Amino acid sequence: MREKIEILIKSGEDVNTYTAKVLCSDKTNDLALLSLDKSEFNGMNDIPFSISTNSREVGTSIFTMGYPMADYIGDEVKITDGIISSKTGYDGDIVTYQISAPIQPGSSGGPLFDKHGELIGITNAGIM
């Protein structure tokens, strides 16, 4: 596992490079939790969400954030909303949800929040 990774953050027309520490990673799901040194990065005060490990029920209101097709529709964050439509994913997978919010190419890997702003998942696929 890498201990550090460089990330780019765009702010207006400026693009800044930061070194992030890898707190933990999950190779199977292609995920990592990163931490920026607060003295190096002052882009925001507190993180505006919390991470939840509790399962959500069918019908729970959700929203996603992502940067789909940025070359065509702009590099501003896009938000879509919907509900959890099933507690099982593709082929009955019990570790994924099916949601009604559209996920376009480029949004995969973005956060899935409940209506309280709790991070409840990561978007990773769409079925055409």
Side-chain angles (χ1 to χ4, degrees), residues 56-120:
R56 296 302 190 271
E57 296 300 319
V58 170
T60 297
S61 295
I62 53 91
F63 67 96
T64 67
M65 299 174 75
Y67 298 88
M69 301 180 290
D71 291 343
Y72 301 103
I73 59 176
D75 56 6
E76 179 179 355
V77 68
K78 308 299 185 288
I79 298 173
T80 58
D81 66 344
I83 62 167
I84 293 175
S85 52
S86 176
K87 288 179 70 170
T88 58
Y90 180 73
D91 204 23
D93 185 355
I94 62 170
V95 299
T96 58
Y97 294 124
Q98 289 182 47
I99 61 172
S100 64
I103 303 299
Q104 297 170 320
S107 287
S108 183
L112 175 66
F113 293 105
D114 69 9
K115 65 182 176 185
H116 303 291
E118 290 188 314
L119 179 67
I120 61 170

Side-chain angles (χ1 to χ4, degrees), residues 12-55:
E13 294 300 315
D14 298 330
V15 177
N16 298 299
T17 303
Y18 300 96
T19 301
K21 180 179 177 184
V22 179
L23 298 178
C24 61
S25 64
D26 178 345
K27 194 172 188 171
T28 301
N29 292 302
D30 193 23
L31 294 172
L33 184 60
L34 308 176
S35 174
L36 290 173
D37 183 344
K38 190 70 171 167
S39 65
E40 185 180 330
F41 177 73
N42 57 10
M44 66 176 61
N45 295 327
D46 293 324
I47 297 174
F49 62 87
S50 60
I51 298 172
S52 176
T53 58
N54 297 327
S55 179

